[in-house]
Amino acid sequence: MKTFRKHFLSAAVILTGIGTAYASHAEKKTAKKMAPMDGYIFNHSIGSCEKVADCDTAPGPICTVNNNPVLTQAFGLDAPGDLSTCNVELSQRQ
């Protein structure tokens, strides 16, 4: 019975360590996915996208001008540096 307890406790400690390591690794990967991005709206008078907000790529509420949900939605650029189209949906920066 003593050897069973000894082996059971050893296995429990090892599994706890593995679980903790996996959980912290997954959290770091999630943090990398979140990235600040500029939010744009298409300005028809100048024919290009104009920066209006600071947004994020993490899932959450949609990014809007001045973080006001009743105002215009801000979008990310389709291609970095190309101000001709801005259609990428972004989230509010937390």
Side-chain angles (χ1 to χ4, degrees), residues 1-2 4-5 7-8 12 14-17 25 28 33 39 44-45 52 54 58-59 62 64 72 76 83 85 90:
M1 188 68 161
K2 278 187 173 183
F4 175 73
R5 283 187 193 164
H7 291 309
F8 179 75
I14 290 171
L15 290 174
T16 301
H25 178 70
K28 288 178 186 174
K33 290 181 181 179
H44 293 281
S45 63
V52 293
D54 293 320
I62 61 170
T64 57
T72 306
L83 296 175
T85 55
L90 299 173

Side-chain angles (χ1 to χ4, degrees), residues 30-50:
T30 302
K32 289 180 183 177
K33 290 181 181 179
M34 295 184 275
M37 291 190 73
D38 294 332
Y40 297 85
I41 58 171
F42 191 81
N43 185 333
H44 293 281
S45 63
I46 60 173
S48 69
C49 297
E50 180 179 12

Side-chain angles (χ1 to χ4, degrees), residues 26-37 55-60 91-94:
E27 184 178 322
K28 288 178 186 174
K29 286 180 78 174
T30 302
K32 289 180 183 177
K33 290 181 181 179
M34 295 184 275
M37 291 190 73
C55 304
D56 206 341
T57 57
S91 302
Q92 291 291 71
R93 184 174 285 174
Q94 301 297 326

